Amino acid sequence: MADRKYDVVLYGASGFTGRQTIQYFAGHVHASEVRWAIAGRNQQALEAAKAHAGADARAIDILIADAHDQAALDKIASQTRIVLSTAGPFALYGNQLVDSCVRFGVHYVDITGETPWVKDLIDRHHEKAASSGTRIVPCCGFDSVPSDLGAYLMARHIQKNLGTQCQQVNAYFKFAGGVNGGTLATGFNLYESGQAARARDPFLLNPAGEHSSDEIKLNLDSKTATYDADVDAWIAPFIMAVTNERIARRSAALFEQWQTPYGPGFHYHEFQKFNARSRFKAKTASRMLGAFEGMMTRPFTRRMLKSLVPKPGSGPSEKTMNNGWLSLRIGGNFGRWPQATRHNQRPR
């Protein structure tokens, strides 16, 4: 692909996350090193996003393609080595773009959290992409990079430095910030398309295989707040666990297929973390998440929620984003120590 015009094309560049990505590229990527362009369906919106990024983005090209125009998407794919997409909901706007990438041997990366759609991508494209060396890499945003890498690094740390196998990884999130309208639109589409029930399968993204009743029980989503003595804190279900846990489990299952497993019976969970005296906050957060999911399942209350939340293309203010933060604590459990390295440490 060395003769292609671009190294990277950013698709969906006029959306909320797309505009942030243009600004980052403009400030960090030199045109002499990486040839990049932006793409989407609306010329005027792309021009505005480019202008907003300032002088450093002045020279970048704009490519036009509607998400359902296969010929236009093929033209983009034929000109680049990599496509980055921020155009969600991906179940609505991503299928034909990924199809183009697979056919033209273009690496593809997005920021989806839509696990049913990701499962469909795997079923439709995995064999051809794997045989050609094309990388199709979804879920490369907050969903689910910290979770997936955290589980991987903890498992390998236990193996390398403690000389045993990892049985369990827990991730504990604390955060502050806002949510953009595109993320919310993705959630609404998940329920409106009837895919929410499918997303609850804890092994949705795993390679095909049977799971025992004990294995299923170990991997079910958390539903209630509880006190966790390991971190001396109250914890509640984390809103993105329904995506992140499936991604981390898929990685673990693939490494097991490749004969480099995390450990026997490995399982992964994540939570929202409060402090040791925040029982009320944790229980309130758990109830609010349950109520939100209940409202999303009913068309009337879902329409009401839609009228109240940010619309696609909008999101937190610059100040809110600049003041946002994330704290992630990862804990690993490895059970019994090997006799040679046991000493007096606890198995935690």
Side-chain angles (χ1 to χ4, degrees), residues 71-133:
L73 294 170
D74 286 352
K75 186 175 181 180
I76 288 176
S78 69
Q79 297 182 76
T80 188
R81 299 172 57 243
I82 300 167
V83 167
L84 307 182
S85 180
T86 60
F90 291 85
L92 296 178
Y93 305 117
N95 284 321
Q96 289 173 271
L97 179 58
V98 178
D99 291 347
S100 292
C101 289
V102 173
R103 284 188 289 105
F104 283 87
V106 176
H107 304 313
Y108 169 90
V109 181
D110 69 32
I111 55 169
T112 188
E114 302 156 75
T115 51
W117 181 70
V118 173
K119 171 61 174 172
D120 292 339
L121 289 188
I122 294 167
D123 292 344
R124 191 163 68 248
H125 294 303
H126 176 75
E127 288 188 11
K128 183 173 181 179
S131 66
S132 66

Side-chain angles (χ1 to χ4, degrees), residues 3 34 49 81 85 104 123 130 181 200 220 240 251 270 276 313 321:
D3 60 343
V34 178
R81 299 172 57 243
S85 180
F104 283 87
D123 292 344
R200 296 188 188 99
L220 289 176
M240 293 315 305
S251 292
E270 58 188 34
M321 289 190 290

